[in-house]
Structure formats: structure tokens, C-alpha cells
Amino acid sequence: MTDWHPDIADRIRPLNATPIGAPASCAYVLCWIQQTLRSDDNPLIDAAIDLGNRLGLPVLVYHGLREDYPHASDRLHHFILRASRDLQRECVRRGLRCVTFVDQAQTREKGLVYRLAATAAAVLTDDQPVFVARQQADNFAARCDRAVFAVDTARLVPTRVLPAGLKTTPAFRKASGALRPQYEVHRNNFVPDCPAYTGDVCFKDANLAQASNTALNDLMAHCDIDHSLPPAPDFEPSAAAARSALDGFVTDALATYPYRRNNAADKAGVSRLSPYLHFGVLGPRKMTAAVRAADVTANAKWKYLDELLTWREYFHYLAYQDDNFASFRSLPDAPRTSLEAHSSDPRPTLYALTDLVHGNTGDETWNAAQRQWLATGYMHNNLRMYWGKQIIKWTPDPETAWDTACYLNDRLALDGRDPATYGNMKWVFGMAKPAWKEQPIYGWVAPKSDRALRKRDGVVAWLAQSASRDVPQINVPDAVPTYSHAG
Ligand SMILES: Cc1cc2nc3c(=O)[nH]c(=O)nc-3n(C[C@H](O)[C@H](O)[C@H](O)COP(=O)(O)OP(=O)(O)OC[C@H]3O[C@@H](n4cnc5c(N)ncnc54)[C@H](O)[C@@H]3O)c2cc1C
């Protein structure tokens, strides 16, 4: 029965050995969406429809939002609730029932996925290599008495078809590049044979599809989350907004991407699509198709797709090989031991966490970058490497530096808590080439100056303006949380 449609089969990974339930005793196939908050071209929904059609069962789509995930805040809840509303509306358009649950102390439901799974022939969920989704899926599959499958929704080339041991981006580029064409043309948006499921579910659907923005804000206000960090209004959390941002970028800025992408003052020079990618509101296949169809030079297409399909998917690939990808301990030995050998070197200044959070250091470039993140939920790519490198010298030791950088990134950025977060952090902490000489604090890890980034058009003025912008004063813990056991 696990004879999946060939256009979806490579994306599916069984998480346990339990056989698929007999259709006569089951009510549906459960499609448990954790992070891929889109209906269009969502391989998870397509895989569930494929199985449902073969079993003669409808698909029930479920998305639940807990209030206790790490860094839960108005910023993240605002995005997720609206994206979930959009998902529910779009599922209805595809002829699917989608139910949502928003966790709050007074209406808490225990073990909801287990209870929904009790009448399911199988459970399908998204295959994510880091943060809570990976852990939740693995725990669930180990304890649930239903067949559980993880579906690769986040990457164009499913990670499981790539050979093991790709140690560099050139090796990854070559292996992944050869496989891309076949996944670009795979069929998607499968059509369900069965009418939408109309039976009972074991809880009260939050019915987000009918909720106004005011109702969603009210719901969010009653969740026990960090209300001091406000939403990021520049990113409208819907598939239509993501699609319009993609189309606008491809039409107006893709042609100039190779030489505008490094200018931190040029808001329109990059696509700003990473938040949509992180939450799965937009998928890499649609983005690749839009880029391929654009009337721009081959070089512009290559450069953009290399960021999207090589760098981004390489970090996903690496994250799958390492259960502790988000931890300082998973940094390769050479940079880690070099940094540790300089742990007791005197630091020029040690900043309190609250000064780092609010962008109150003596470094204008750093403050501008940090305040962009705090105020908008987004930081320009060209600032991020410089931003990360400075934290190494402003914290007492390299592991605290790592935890601080990951904490700021994960808490403030809409695109944080992602394989690209920890993969890039490894670059900041010296995974790429070593420095040309050993230095205090950094050892053989290359430090970085802001000279080159300041030379670009308009950047000096932009930095001055961003470093002095108003930012929300948010709650800050006494100590930075540890990432030493993070997955
Ligand atoms: C210290 C540091 C932390 C970072 N943290 C994150 C993070 O938490 N989440 C995140 O998605 N990216 C992260 N990046 C990578 C990169 O900065 C962002 O992906 C990019 O700035 C997103 O903006 P954009 O969509 O406008 O990018 P564009 O330049 O328009 O690129 C298009 C897409 O390509 C991908 N991409 C681009 N650059 C990279 C890269 N270096 N690594 C991986 N994918 C890339 C992204 O998915 C991006 O949306 C980090 C980089 C550094 C140096």
C-alpha cells in the first residue's frame, strides 16, 4: 500500500514500521501540518491525497499552534495565525477539510494529534531537520500506533535522494544540480477523489478561516506568549502576498540581483522571501519556476537560484546529518578548539544582553543591523555576517557567543529557527576557510570589518538612520538560554 505516486514518492520517509490502517475501520488520512503553511503545491497535502485516493478515504488537514514553543511571541504568533487562516481557506478551495487548534491554558486539549490519529489510516507530517517539528514528529511516530510518514516539503530536491558525504557546497551544487530538472516538473496539486470529510473531530475547530484580523489579535492577546515583541508588519502572512512579493521581485529586481544584493541600503535589491520560505507559505518549486521563466540574463537566474537551491538546501542537508545542529558543540573541531583556546583572552567590552537585544553598543553598523531585526523582523544578508562576528568579541567565551547569536536570530527574525540560521552561524564561527593568521579572541577564525559594506551606495546614511531608529523595549531574560542540547 505504500506504492506512492512516482511524482511524490521520493519525498516520503516512513517514521515507524506500523502498517497503514484498513480503510474500513478508518475515517480519514490525517495530514498534520507543522510548518508548511500553504495549500498550493504542498507535497505533504499531495501525499495525503495520493494515499487517501488509493484507500478511498478523505484527507483531514490539521494545524495546531501551541503557546509554549521556544521564542513564542506576538511576532511569531501573528505570522503563524494569519498564515494558518489562509491555509484553512485555501484547503476548502481544494475540496479539503482543514481544522485548526490554538492552544491556550483555559481551553487546553491534551494529546490532540494522538486523538485525531486514532481514527486515521495513517498520519503524514512535514519533514523538518531542526527546531520543534523534527522532535515532535519523531516522538509522535515512536509512541503512536498508526503509520507515520514525514514528507519533504521544504526543498526542491528531496534531501533523502542526495548521496551521503557531500562535504562542500561545490560538491552539493553538482549533485543537487543534476537532480533539479526532474523535481521542477513533478506533478502537484493532486485532486482528491473523495468529498471533504464531514464527520466529527475530537475538539472545537478554531475556524480561523472565518476570523477577522481583530479576532486573531484578540486570540493572540489571550495566549501566554511574549507580548513585548510586536508583529513584523512588512510581511503579510498569506500565499497571495508571498506570490505578489515573488512576482514583484522577478519583474523589477531579479535582473540586477547579482550586483545589488550586497547593498544593505537597497531594500528592493533582494527578494525578502526568507520568512515565507521558513514558514512554508511559499515553496522553492514555485520560486524556481518564476525565476526560470523571467526575461533576464542567465547569470542573474543562476545567482539567485544558487542562493535558493544550493546554499539554502545545503544547510538543510547538513542539518539532517546532525541531531545537534543548533549547538556550538556541532561546530567542526578546528574552529571550535581554536576559539576555545582563546576563551580567556581579554575582551574589549562585554555588553549586557539587554544592550545587545536593543542595539545599544558602541558600534553604529552593528546597532543598525540589530535594530533592523528588532523593529522589522528582517535583517539584510550583507549585514548578517558582520553582525555575527562582532558577538564573538563582546561575550565572555565562544559558547556564550554562539548561544547569544542564535538566541537573537531565533527570537527576533521571522526566518529564524531554520537550518539556514545554524548553518550560517557555523560560517560565522569559522566553518569556512581559516584566517590568515592567529589572532586574540578569534584564534584561527576570521574576524570581519564593516569597511566593504559601508562603501556601497547610500549605506553610510542608511546605517546612521537605522542605528538611531526607535525600537520596542522588549523583555530580556537574565541570562541567554543555552543551545547546548538544541536539535
Ligand atoms: C549570521 C547569519 C544568520 C542567518 N540566519 C538566517 C536565518 O535565520 N534564516 C534564513 O533563512 N537565512 C539566514 N541567513 C541567510 C541569509 O542572510 C538570508 O537567507 C537572506 O538574507 C534572506 O533574505 P532574502 O530572502 O532577501 O534573500 P535573497 O538574497 O533574496 O535570497 C533568496 C533566498 O535564498 C536563500 N539564501 C540566501 N542567502 C542564503 C544563505 N547565506 N544561506 C542560506 N540560504 C540563503 C534564502 O532562502 C533567501 O530567501 C543568515 C545568514 C547569516 C550570515
Side-chain angles (χ1 to χ4, degrees):
M1 178 43 75
T2 44
D3 215 2
W4 301 99
H5 189 286
D7 283 351
I8 205 87
D10 287 349
R11 299 193 173 274
I12 301 172
R13 191 163 66 90
L15 292 186
N16 61 17
T18 312
I20 291 169
S25 58
C26 301
Y28 45 71
V29 169
L30 183 62
C31 174
W32 173 28
I33 294 189
Q34 298 192 77
Q35 199 172 322
T36 314
L37 296 170
R38 68 174 181 274
S39 161
D40 180 46
D41 188 17
N42 183 338
L44 170 54
I45 296 180
D46 284 342
I49 292 175
D50 177 39
L51 181 60
N53 286 352
R54 283 181 290 130
L55 295 172
L57 288 173
V59 167
L60 178 66
V61 179
Y62 164 70
H63 176 238
L65 178 59
R66 292 170 63 143
E67 59 177 3
D68 63 350
Y69 61 93
H71 314 290
S73 65
D74 280 3
R75 175 158 297 172
L76 300 183
H77 252 54
H78 178 270
F79 193 100
I80 297 168
L81 281 170
R82 279 159 176 74
S84 184
R85 173 177 66 184
D86 201 50
L87 168 77
Q88 198 174 36
R89 288 175 178 165
E90 293 301 318
C91 280
V92 172
R93 281 198 200 120
R94 282 187 71 178
L96 298 166
R97 171 107 174 260
C98 174
V99 289
T100 50
F101 182 75
V102 181
D103 178 45
Q104 287 174 310
Q106 62 274 30
T107 51
R108 178 142 304 141
E109 296 275 359
K110 292 256 184 224
L112 214 44
V113 198
Y114 292 88
R115 283 157 55 201
L116 285 169
T119 43
V123 181
L124 290 85
T125 191
D126 12 14
D127 201 348
Q128 301 285 349
V130 296
F131 204 54
V132 288
R134 176 180 186 162
Q135 221 178 353
Q136 282 185 165
D138 287 345
N139 289 345
F140 175 73
R143 291 191 197 133
C144 177
D145 63 356
R146 302 285 135 171
V148 183
F149 300 91
V151 184
D152 191 324
T153 57
R155 298 152 290 272
L156 175 67
V157 177
T159 306
R160 63 191 287 271
V161 303
L162 288 160
L166 299 172
K167 294 208 185 312
T168 62
T169 38
F172 182 85
R173 186 180 287 118
K174 193 166 170 216
S176 152
L179 296 168
R180 285 170 198 164
Q182 73 189 79
Y183 295 104
E184 286 178 39
V185 297
H186 272 178
R187 182 181 150 198
N188 61 77
N189 288 342
F190 288 33
V191 177
D193 292 343
C194 301
Y197 176 70
T198 51
D200 290 340
V201 287
C202 56
F203 69 98
K204 189 167 176 303
D205 178 13
N207 200 5
L208 297 182
Q210 305 301 326
S212 64
N213 284 343
T214 311
L216 291 188
N217 289 345
D218 192 47
L219 191 56
M220 183 169 84
H222 288 89
C223 292
D224 183 15
I225 56 175
D226 169 17
H227 296 298
S228 71
L229 181 62
D234 286 358
F235 296 90
E236 172 60 33
S238 72
R243 185 70 218 196
S244 141
L246 170 63
D247 291 344
F249 170 74
V250 167
T251 308
D252 301 333
L254 178 60
T256 53
Y257 180 75
Y259 54 91
R260 282 173 69 189
R261 61 183 287 271
N262 282 329
N263 186 329
D266 187 354
K267 191 174 171 183
V270 288
S271 67
R272 296 165 57 90
L273 291 170
S274 52
Y276 296 117
L277 273 162
H278 171 74
F279 287 110
V281 174
L282 195 58
R285 180 157 48 200
K286 284 272 142 116
M287 292 172 68
T288 304
V291 169
R292 294 247 194 257
D295 184 17
V296 301
T297 61
N299 179 47
K301 291 181 189 184
W302 187 90
K303 186 65 197 152
Y304 188 80
L305 291 180
D306 199 51
E307 297 299 330
L308 178 70
L309 303 178
T310 301
W311 285 98
R312 177 175 177 274
E313 299 200 0
Y314 180 54
F315 290 135
H316 282 247
Y317 173 84
L318 291 184
Y320 274 105
Q321 339 260 316
D322 186 345
D323 289 345
N324 269 323
F325 194 61
S327 154
F328 178 68
R329 297 281 122 203
S330 83
L331 196 63
D333 283 352
R336 189 171 49 74
T337 52
S338 181
L339 286 165
E340 283 173 339
H342 289 269
S343 281
S344 51
D345 291 358
R347 267 64 180 155
T349 316
L350 291 178
Y351 286 108
L353 185 57
T354 184
D355 289 333
L356 294 175
V357 166
H358 294 102
N360 289 329
T361 72
D363 178 333
E364 184 188 64
T365 305
W366 198 90
N367 292 344
Q370 175 64 20
R371 286 178 176 229
Q372 183 179 35
W373 238 352
L374 180 52
T376 71
Y378 175 86
M379 187 197 289
H380 191 281
N381 178 46
N382 201 238
L383 298 169
R384 295 195 196 202
M385 189 58 71
Y386 175 78
W387 170 89
K389 293 274 189 188
Q390 309 320 302
I391 295 173
I392 297 175
K393 67 179 180 195
W394 291 340
T395 40
D397 58 75
E399 187 156 358
T400 309
W402 173 275
D403 290 348
T404 305
C406 290
Y407 168 75
L408 295 174
N409 195 144
D410 282 350
R411 182 169 175 204
L412 304 179
L414 282 177
D415 65 19
R417 308 154 309 281
D418 191 272
T421 316
Y422 315 116
N424 278 287
M425 222 51 97
K426 288 182 163 58
W427 247 249
V428 169
F429 282 73
M431 185 154 140
K433 58 177 191 270
W436 59 278
K437 69 169 187 179
E438 191 171 15
Q439 302 189 43
I441 303 172
Y442 289 87
W444 284 101
V445 170
K448 190 164 175 62
S449 103
D450 59 355
R451 257 196 317 275
L453 77 85
R454 279 184 162 264
K455 279 191 186 145
R456 295 181 189 274
D457 278 357
V459 171
V460 168
W462 182 85
L463 290 173
Q465 176 264 319
S466 186
S468 57
R469 78 204 302 168
D470 285 337
V471 284
Q473 295 303 301
I474 66 171
N475 302 335
V476 178
D478 293 338
V480 73
T482 178
Y483 276 71
S484 60
H485 303 295

